[in-house]
Each structure stands twice: as C-alpha cells, then as structure tokens.
Amino acid sequence: MARTSRETKTNRAAAKRRPARAVAERPATRRRRPAGETPYHHGDLHDALLAAAERVLERDGLPGLTLRAVAREAGVSHAAPTHHFGDLSGLLSELAAIGFRRFNEAMAAAGKTDIHPLMKAMARAKAYVAYAQACPGMYGLMFRTERLDMTRPSLHEAATASFEGLANSVGAGRNEKLTGDALETISLDQAAAIARAWSLVHGFTTLLLDGRLKDILHRLPEGTGVDQLLDAMLRSTVSRPPGV
C-alpha cells in the first residue's frame, strides 16, 4: 500500500511537469526574413548576384560597386559574393563578360541590317554607341582592364569575340578576310585600319558619355543631333576598299 502511494505521488508529480517539458520541446519559431531578402535556389544565386551587381553599377557607378553592396542589393549574406566569385575582381570580370556578350549580340544584329559592307560597318558603329548610351556603367566597366582579370575564360572569350567582330567588319569593308587564322598575323596597314575604326567610334562614345560633345552639339543646325553627327563622321572617315 505504501509502495502504491509512493508510485501515485511520483506519477502525479511527473504529470505536473509535462506541460513545462512540452513547452521546452516546442520547435523554435522560424526567423522572419528581413525585408528585401530574397530566397534563392543554390543554382540561381550566382546569376542573382550578377544581376544585383549590374543594378548597383548602373545606379552607383563603379566606385559604389563593392561585394557588400552587391550582397545587400541581392538580400543575401555579405559572404555570398565571395563564395561565388572569390573577390571583387572576379565579380567584376564575370559582369564585364556579360557586358561583352550583350555588346557582341548588338553588333551582330546591327550587321545584319544591310548587305553592303560599308553600310554594315556603319550600322555596327551606331549600335556600338547606342549600347554605351543605354548601359554606360557596364560599357565603362568593360574597358577598365586594370580592374578585370582578363585570364578568366568567360571574359577572355567574350572580349576576344568582340575584337574579332570589329576586325571582321573592317576587313569586309576593305574586301579582305580578317577572320580565323588570317587574323593571327596582319599587316601594318590592316592593323592601322582596325585601330582607326575602333579609335573613331570608341573616342566618339567616350566624349559623348563624358559630356564633352555638348559644345559641338549645341552649335549644330536645328534638327540635328548626336545621330546625325555620328553619321556624318562615319561617312567621311569609314574605311574603303583599296583603290576605291
């Protein structure tokens, strides 16, 4: 009887303790996701970080593009960009590769708008300037070689394709083949033609983005502007086939 009484007291005491144990074992409430933080699948985060980096670049410029700024823009931990790109140079290089690929696509599309080599070259030049105007941050990054790792396969491939497209366009205007093996060794005259075409369009674009053409533009006849100025420049200086 005494034993039964002791067991009864023990069971009652245990019963009183159960609610406390149940509360202790209740699963912890999940952390609420901070505003702006976005859940990503593992395979999506790489691209999401690059998209965030592009937004920061176009909004805040290259000085504002840091790993922490990108992580903050993407709504992920500050360590995420380092995990995917190693360092800022890695991130900038992958972003520049995207810029070159889009740039190359714009050039290729422009080159299909006409069948005459000279008109194709002019269309490509206009597309060059248009891309830079639409994406000034990305365009500027693409030519900041000191901030990029040109040995990264994606960037090296995209930048090389861009140069080959330029050379091919110049060669077509001269009735010469400047592609593939023929581009590995070129004459001084061919090199000068490529450099001249690139310098013309890149120089014009740089002056335009820096606002240095305003003094010229406001002196133009009414109804003329950037497009007409570029067109006139191209028509007066574009390479022509030898003997023409």
Side-chain angles (χ1 to χ4, degrees), residues 99-100 102-113 119-135 139 142-143 169 201-202 204-205 208-209 226-227 230-231 234:
F100 270 113
R102 293 177 185 168
F103 182 71
N104 296 340
E105 290 169 1
M107 298 299 100
K112 296 177 181 179
T113 59
M119 294 300 101
K120 289 168 70 75
M122 291 178 66
R124 287 175 59 91
K126 292 177 181 179
Y128 188 115
V129 177
Y131 176 85
Q133 288 181 293
C135 308
Y139 175 80
M142 288 158 51
F143 296 99
S169 177
V201 183
H202 187 76
F204 180 88
T205 303
L208 179 63
L209 294 182
V226 173
D227 292 342
L230 175 61
D231 188 76
L234 294 172

Side-chain angles (χ1 to χ4, degrees), residues 13-62:
K16 291 180 180 179
R17 289 195 298 270
R18 277 184 194 133
R21 187 172 65 235
V23 171
E25 292 175 354
R26 184 181 301 163
T29 303
R30 293 182 63 183
R31 178 182 66 87
R32 295 185 63 183
R33 190 179 301 278
E37 184 174 326
T38 306
Y40 294 105
H41 296 294
H42 179 71
D44 298 335
L45 184 52
H46 179 275
D47 293 341
L49 288 168
L50 288 171
E54 183 176 359
R55 292 195 298 272
V56 173
L57 175 63
E58 296 296 347
R59 183 184 66 227
D60 304 328
L62 188 55

Side-chain angles (χ1 to χ4, degrees), residues 5 58 184:
S5 178
E58 296 296 347
E184 293 300 316

Side-chain angles (χ1 to χ4, degrees), residues 149-193:
D149 179 3
M150 299 302 297
T151 65
R152 291 180 79 97
S154 58
L155 178 56
H156 177 76
E157 179 181 352
T160 299
S162 181
F163 174 74
E164 291 176 347
L166 168 65
N168 181 42
S169 177
V170 171
R174 294 163 54 92
N175 288 332
E176 298 175 347
K177 182 179 180 181
L178 290 177
T179 59
D181 293 339
L183 190 55
E184 293 300 316
T185 303
I186 58 178
S187 68
L188 178 59
D189 183 59
Q190 291 171 328

Side-chain angles (χ1 to χ4, degrees), residues 78-142:
H78 65 83
T82 301
H83 174 73
H84 283 271
F85 303 102
D87 54 17
L88 183 57
S89 176
L91 173 63
L92 295 179
S93 299
E94 292 301 324
L95 189 59
I98 293 175
F100 270 113
R101 286 195 290 269
R102 293 177 185 168
F103 182 71
N104 296 340
E105 290 169 1
M107 298 299 100
K112 296 177 181 179
T113 59
D114 202 297
I115 60 174
H116 194 284
L118 293 180
M119 294 300 101
K120 289 168 70 75
M122 291 178 66
R124 287 175 59 91
K126 292 177 181 179
Y128 188 115
V129 177
Y131 176 85
Q133 288 181 293
C135 308
M138 187 75 90
Y139 175 80
L141 173 65
M142 288 158 51

